[in-house]
Amino acid sequence: MGNVYASATEGGQRGDSAQRSGTDRTLSSGAATIDCPDVGDQLAFVPDEARSEVDGELAALDQQIAEAYQRLQESTQAMQQDSGFADSAIMNPLKEKRAATIERIAIAIDRVGDRPQGIEDLAACEFRASGNQTGEWQDQNGDQNGDNQDGQGNQDGQDGQDQGDGQGDDQGGQEDQQSGNGGQAGNGPVAGDFADITTVQPNAQFPSPENNASRGTFATSCGVNANGLFNSDNVIVAPGVSNGAHHFHDYVGNQSNDAFASNDDLAAAQTSCVDQGDRSSYFWPVLRLQNGAQEQDAQSPGGGIEGNAGEIVTPSQVTMTFVGNPRGQVVAMPKLLRIITGDAKAFVNGNANVNASWSCTGFEDRQLKDKYPLCPQGSDVVRTFRFQSCWDGRNIDSANHRTHVAFADAAGNCANDFQAIPQLVQRIVYDVDAPSLQDGGRTVPLFAVDSFPEQLHKPVTDHGDFINVFDEDLMREMVDCINTGRQCGAGSSNGEDPGNSPAPTPDPPSGGTDEPTADPTVTPGDDETPEPSDSPSSPPSSLPSTQAPDPASTPPTKEPVEAEPKAYTSPPATQRAESAASPTDDADGQAGGAATADEGNGNGNGDVSVPQTEPQAVTGDLADTGTQLWPAGIGAVLLIAGFLMLRRIRQASR
């Protein structure tokens, strides 16, 4: 086990060096974190009968690390006064707790299968340099921005090719200007976690498709989590365990995803997706501004008390597209397939499973893995996940949540008899300004994703999660669309690249640089719970037409247009007729009982006059009702005339 008082070069991160710049000083808790072996990643097989118990124990291991890290953060003074405090009060108790928990895991598996070998050796943890040193430390790896970075950007599984070396070399050494560990909660980010995107060389590469490639795309539009559906659970990794993630997630799509959601719960849930046949769950760690804001979770597990602090940023755009394979056809994903891409513990686990990419609009041929991007004015932050696209053909999950799926190789081949499935590509855009590194984000705040507390909000820890809850018919439609080279889905528009709508009051896109990877066309639809709008609003006049196409020209989808969230162009008359339209209206796009544009005259305000088919009661003032009295008046005159005539006849007869 490493000594917290040792030089930062001892146990440093994968060869990164940190040099002491002053006289003999100690490495304080602010410059260290806790590195524990990932037991779950070592479990290649867990019998189904033991899965629930093992998942609970793995979650307990995460909780133990979080508590030890919090103790470390609170013990700077004690460690300075007592050189043995860290070992006796933090690391040794942690090892004992982990050993007992790991033994329970081994017993649970041994009870119904073969006892896993070697996991007992994973109990011990060590201190390691965080890279977040204060002014008494000078980080020396600034000339290696992009170290361990995937030079192939968004290409499947080609991480760690180090083609990004030497990029953003002006960022090193600035973190010493920040106090503490950086960030609002004191555990990151720091200036050294950022890189100027304009200094990064183009590095995004994609396999060249062959003649029999599946070239189509299928887009689903599920909003941007504008309704604020968050929790710090993870039903994939820690089912049945509250706060199993120790950080907050954004959720779109399935609205019933929490730690306790069963497969039946997920299948029966409401969805924020335009196409109600997509009840899939899409979730990722929230992005926060380190601006001092007190969010709803400021004093909650998974939030502020675990170092995840600051204002949660709602994405301005979320695009979710399923694409094909460059070598051949794809097969349908099985219902309830789970996929995790990236590694939430990559800062201590290493970069083997790092997969999230960071870039800026207008610069998406340049992708970062281990740095957050500093985007120029007028350019937005872009966060991209390309999920695993090969499946073992049998399992919807695996013990370590990885071995049942895999990335294709550089040419697009699936190894080990795995089958190619539609590949989910998530593109999340944020309207956030480049932070002011020179003053530690005091002028313009730093930003970072939520993480396990000991992972220090490093960008390499970014990850995405997906649970397939597509209707089987819609999944078959997706596969057919992709294999036949078409562009389909509720997120598609006019046959162009699919997209997703911006936030309810979007700012017009800024910056005039064409993006190397085409900026997806935006279609109406953003609010998280699809509802008809009584008074749909038009987009700002400055919003380009490609950002908000006319819904009338949008290809029909499986569900009616009325199921879309708030639209950003004036919808067709069928969408404006009645507020009673709902996501369960007729599948031909007509709301039940709503008039079409030919059934009346529009009033120019989006209302439609529907012809009256029933007699209407007459009401009104005297001028209105007087027209009904004249028949009675004539009758009275005739009656008087008849009376006078009868009287004359009688007089004449006398």
Side-chain angles (χ1 to χ4, degrees):
M1 181 174 63
N3 189 334
V4 73
Y5 294 94
S7 166
T9 58
E10 298 178 19
Q13 180 188 6
R14 293 174 294 278
D16 292 347
S17 62
Q19 180 179 344
R20 301 180 60 174
S21 61
T23 58
D24 189 19
R25 298 184 182 183
T26 60
L27 181 60
S28 69
S29 64
T33 190
I34 294 177
D35 184 349
C36 298
D38 191 344
V39 176
D41 200 45
Q42 302 301 314
L43 295 176
F45 175 73
V46 175
D48 290 341
E49 300 89 338
R51 182 70 61 86
S52 176
E53 185 176 354
V54 170
D55 285 340
E57 298 296 351
L58 291 173
L61 291 174
D62 289 338
Q63 179 66 29
Q64 292 161 7
I65 298 171
E67 292 172 351
Y69 177 77
Q70 185 175 9
R71 186 76 185 276
L72 174 67
Q73 290 291 91
E74 297 169 349
S75 302
T76 300
Q77 184 175 359
M79 288 190 296
Q80 291 173 346
Q81 295 173 350
D82 179 3
S83 60
F85 179 87
D87 286 340
S88 62
I90 301 176
M91 301 306 289
N92 289 339
L94 175 60
K95 180 180 178 180
E96 293 173 1
K97 291 179 182 178
R98 284 174 57 83
T101 304
I102 291 171
E103 178 62 17
R104 289 194 293 271
I105 291 174
I107 292 172
I109 297 175
D110 188 38
R111 192 181 297 125
V112 292
D114 295 331
R115 183 184 178 94
Q117 299 300 310
I119 63 172
E120 297 87 353
D121 300 332
L122 304 179
C125 303
E126 64 180 17
F127 286 112
R128 56 168 295 172
S130 68
N132 292 357
Q133 288 80 7
T134 63
E136 64 191 37
W137 291 90
Q138 177 71 33
D139 183 19
Q140 299 297 312
N141 69 342
D143 59 347
Q144 298 177 28
N145 179 29
D147 181 40
N148 299 306
Q149 176 177 303
D150 179 9
Q152 298 200 21
N154 285 342
Q155 183 173 325
D156 288 356
Q158 303 302 305
D159 302 319
Q161 299 204 11
D162 295 330
Q163 297 182 18
D165 290 353
Q167 299 171 359
D169 55 4
D170 60 337
Q171 302 306 313
Q174 293 182 350
E175 55 195 41
D176 61 334
Q177 300 184 39
Q178 295 213 138
S179 60
N181 240 4
Q184 180 176 334
N187 68 335
V190 295
D193 292 327
F194 294 82
D196 184 349
I197 197 66
T198 64
T199 68
V200 179
Q201 296 301 311
N203 56 19
Q205 300 177 13
F206 300 91
S208 299
E210 297 187 354
N211 291 335
N212 60 341
S214 44
R215 301 170 183 264
T217 62
F218 184 96
T220 187
S221 178
C222 302
V224 297
N225 197 23
N227 63 329
L229 179 60
F230 311 111
N231 63 50
S232 59
D233 301 341
N234 191 322
V235 72
I236 298 178
V237 175
V241 179
S242 181
N243 192 39
H246 294 268
H247 53 265
F248 261 39
H249 289 120
D250 270 313
Y251 288 88
V252 300
N254 199 288
Q255 299 292 286
S256 294
N257 187 342
D258 60 26
F260 307 98
S262 66
N263 289 342
D264 290 341
D265 293 333
L266 295 172
Q270 297 294 312
T271 179
S272 68
C273 299
V274 171
D275 195 322
Q276 298 291 290
D278 181 9
R279 291 179 173 82
S280 300
S281 185
Y282 309 86
F283 54 109
W284 53 83
V286 299
L287 187 79
R288 296 189 196 241
L289 294 178
Q290 306 295 296
N291 59 2
Q294 296 292 303
E295 280 284 6
Q296 57 178 300
D297 62 342
Q299 304 299 324
S300 302
I305 67 173
E306 294 188 87
N308 294 306
E311 177 185 349
I312 295 175
V313 182
T314 300
S316 60
Q317 183 181 347
V318 175
T319 303
M320 292 183 294
T321 311
F322 293 86
V323 301
N325 181 277
R327 297 298 300 271
Q329 304 284 282
V330 297
V331 301
M333 294 181 181
K335 193 76 171 282
L336 298 168
L337 175 70
R338 272 91 161 147
I339 306 179
I340 298 174
T341 197
D343 183 0
K345 303 175 183 177
F347 183 59
V348 297
N349 282 351
N351 291 336
N353 293 309
V354 171
N355 192 49
S357 294
W358 293 86
S359 189
C360 304
T361 55
F363 298 89
E364 292 185 58
D365 60 343
R366 315 169 190 208
Q367 297 289 326
L368 294 164
K369 294 290 186 184
D370 65 344
K371 304 290 180 183
Y372 297 115
L374 296 172
C375 301
Q377 186 174 7
S379 177
D380 291 337
V381 171
V382 181
R383 182 182 182 189
T384 304
F385 303 103
R386 297 182 72 89
F387 282 69
Q388 293 89 319
S389 58
C390 301
W391 169 53
D392 69 5
R394 299 182 303 277
N395 300 297
I396 62 170
D397 200 0
S398 50
N400 59 9
H401 313 291
R402 296 190 184 280
T403 53
H404 65 299
V405 289
F407 288 102
D409 65 17
N413 298 297
C414 290
N416 302 322
D417 296 324
F418 277 38
Q419 303 173 18
I421 56 175
Q423 182 184 33
L424 171 60
V425 181
Q426 287 181 346
R427 180 175 176 272
I428 308 170
V429 182
Y430 298 91
D431 181 12
V432 293
D433 295 328
S436 54
L437 301 186
Q438 69 279 3
D439 62 2
R442 293 182 182 87
T443 304
V444 181
L446 304 172
F447 62 82
V449 294
D450 269 18
S451 72
F452 285 96
E454 76 280 358
Q455 302 297 316
L456 309 180
H457 304 285
K458 298 297 183 182
V460 292
T461 67
D462 198 13
H463 56 282
D465 301 78
F466 167 69
I467 304 175
N468 169 38
V469 199
F470 273 86
D471 288 348
E472 283 84 352
D473 288 344
L474 186 58
M475 177 57 66
R476 283 192 290 268
E477 180 182 326
M478 176 199 296
V479 169
D480 182 68
C481 171
I482 291 173
N483 286 337
T484 56
R486 295 176 289 129
Q487 286 75 48
C488 313
S492 299
S493 177
N494 299 323
E496 300 177 7
D497 287 343
N500 192 16
S501 61
T505 54
D507 293 328
S510 54
T513 307
D514 291 334
E515 294 187 21
T517 55
D519 189 9
T521 302
V522 176
T523 57
D526 168 80
D527 199 23
E528 294 302 301
T529 305
E531 292 180 352
S533 174
D534 292 332
S535 55
S537 58
S538 297
S541 59
S542 58
L543 190 64
S545 60
T546 56
Q547 292 291 321
D550 183 357
S553 63
T554 303
T557 63
K558 180 179 177 181
E559 292 296 318
V561 175
E562 288 81 0
E564 294 190 11
K566 292 179 182 177
Y568 297 100
T569 59
S570 296
T574 54
Q575 191 172 345
R576 302 192 301 257
E578 296 289 340
S579 62
S582 72
T584 57
D585 289 331
D586 296 338
D588 61 1
Q590 298 289 336
T596 66
D598 296 331
E599 292 175 324
N601 297 320
N603 61 7
N605 294 319
D607 296 329
V608 176
S609 298
V610 181
Q612 304 292 340
T613 57
E614 297 292 338
Q616 301 298 303
V618 179
T619 59
D621 56 18
L622 184 60
D624 296 327
T625 57
T627 57
Q628 302 179 68
L629 300 179
W630 65 269
I634 293 175
V637 171
L638 293 176
L639 179 61
I640 293 172
F643 177 78
L644 293 175
M645 183 176 295
L646 179 60
R647 184 176 180 182
R648 289 175 182 175
I649 291 173
R650 288 178 178 176
Q651 289 176 346
S653 61
R654 288 178 181 174

